[in-house]
Amino acid sequence: MTDTFTLAHLSDPHLPPLPAARLRELAGKRALGYLNWTRNRHKYHRREVLDALVADMQAQRPDHIAVTGDLVNLALEAEFIPAQAWLESVGTPQQVTVVPGNHDAYVRATRHHFGATFEQYLRGDAAADGTPFPFVRRRGPLVLIGVSSAVPTLPLMATGRLGRAQLDALDRELAQLPPDEAFRVLLVHHPLYSTSRIKRLTDSKALHAVLKRRGAELVLHGHDHVHSTMWLEGAGRQIPAVGVPSASALAHRHYPAAAYNLFSITRDGGKWHCVQTVRAVDADFRVKQIKQATLL
């Protein structure tokens, strides 16, 4: 059996507090989002929760950390510098990989700020410059493949889309990465299946087709702010797709408290093995293990 590689996964920090917004920034979709934040969301997304979760995660000494989007809330220009400082406190670009969420591309005016701000955290190993998607990063036995489902949408919509160019490129990348060479992890913000018309990945069927044809060992996502594991048809075996609650959330309504996942990955006898450990914040802001499951 080879040495164990540990991958941590958190998502949707929705970094609080929301900075002051200029009146000209609060038009259209942002106006509704700002109202929602000031009336509701600020009660549940708490910086002390996020800090407790990250401190516990860092204490576990994972080999790498994946963050699957929604670092900011309304994609205000003033949100990106604090978000950059927070991500740098989580780890270096060598230690952390990030993909954007729909809130990171909330409106067209600032949809490219995420890529410019976090370029080093989503730069593929072979990329000369820029941050095209999908990107590929090798870390130990893992190959992390990041795609972007983040697109600006109409008010009250939170859908995502990859688009044909990204799907075709993903198909090519996976075709060059057989499972006996690497443990392939796909990072995407939106879940690959949703019953919600306003929150779904609109071209999820096309992504399912790519994964069925090429396979992967693990898919990680956020967006729904809940614990979830779904199984996708892959090339020869099923693929676990795992979601996680918001990293800054207090428990409210049907949403659980902030949590993160740890995946312990080993290879033995030509087969990959993956054990998931879930650690979550309790009512006293202490972080405890709440679940462990064998995925592969």
Side-chain angles (χ1 to χ4, degrees), residues 19 27 84 104 106 110 148 182 187 205 208 213 220 236 241 245-246 259 266 277 291 295:
Q84 182 181 27
D104 302 316
Y106 204 67
T110 54
S148 175
L187 306 178
K205 288 184 179 179
H208 278 257
R213 182 164 57 251
L220 301 180
S246 163
T266 56
T277 300
K291 176 185 175 182
L295 300 180

Side-chain angles (χ1 to χ4, degrees), residues 75 80 124 163:
F80 286 95

Side-chain angles (χ1 to χ4, degrees), residues 37-286:
W37 176 269
T38 55
R39 286 188 173 181
N40 300 302
R41 292 170 68 93
H42 80 280
K43 302 174 187 176
Y44 310 121
H45 292 287
R46 303 278 289 274
R47 182 59 186 256
E48 60 267 38
V49 173
L50 178 60
D51 290 346
L53 196 76
V54 170
D56 185 83
M57 180 187 67
Q58 291 172 328
Q60 309 305 312
R61 301 178 64 84
D63 295 294
H64 198 72
I65 299 165
V67 183
T68 50
D70 279 1
L71 275 65
V72 300
N73 295 287
L74 306 182
L76 299 168
E77 290 186 15
E79 288 186 90
F80 286 95
I81 297 305
Q84 182 181 27
W86 172 78
L87 191 60
E88 290 172 351
S89 76
V90 174
T92 68
Q94 180 63 26
Q95 300 165 322
V96 181
T97 298
V98 64
V99 295
N102 56 297
H103 281 262
D104 302 316
Y106 204 67
V107 294
R108 293 186 181 277
T110 54
R111 65 175 301 185
H112 299 299
H113 276 38
F114 188 91
T117 303
F118 304 113
E119 177 188 359
Q120 297 302 315
Y121 288 87
L122 38 73
R123 178 190 288 269
D125 292 336
D129 56 14
T131 54
F133 295 98
F135 62 81
V136 177
R137 311 179 101 193
R138 288 184 177 266
R139 299 293 185 267
L142 271 61
V143 169
L144 298 153
I145 306 169
V147 295
S148 175
S149 60
V151 292
T153 58
L154 295 173
L156 304 179
M157 298 295 287
T159 53
R161 180 174 55 84
L162 297 180
R164 178 46 56 189
Q166 206 174 169
L167 287 162
D168 289 346
L170 175 63
D171 186 271
R172 292 192 297 270
E173 292 289 356
L174 287 172
Q176 298 171 23
L177 295 167
D180 56 345
E181 292 184 7
F183 187 95
R184 301 163 297 172
V185 183
L186 178 65
L187 306 178
V188 59
H189 179 67
H190 287 75
L192 275 68
Y193 176 77
S194 176
T195 58
S196 171
R197 184 184 67 85
I198 65 172
K199 297 185 67 173
R200 65 192 179 94
L201 182 67
T202 58
D203 49 4
S204 62
K205 288 184 179 179
L207 179 53
H208 278 257
V210 171
L211 292 173
K212 181 178 180 180
R213 182 164 57 251
R214 302 301 184 190
E217 280 58 65
L218 181 64
V219 177
L220 301 180
H221 69 85
H223 191 54
D224 283 344
H225 296 193
V226 296
H227 299 283
S228 67
T229 301
M230 64 184 76
W231 293 88
L232 314 172
E233 188 175 355
R237 70 175 177 202
Q238 289 192 309
I239 305 167
V242 180
V244 69
S246 163
S248 63
L250 296 172
H252 61 287
R253 302 198 306 274
H254 69 280
Y255 297 108
Y260 70 93
N261 292 316
L262 288 170
F263 299 95
S264 300
I265 298 157
T266 56
R267 189 166 175 82
D268 184 25
K271 292 185 177 181
W272 291 110
H273 300 273
C274 179
V275 175
Q276 174 196 11
T277 300
V278 184
R279 295 182 64 81
V281 173
D282 68 12
D284 297 317
F285 293 172
R286 292 176 296 191

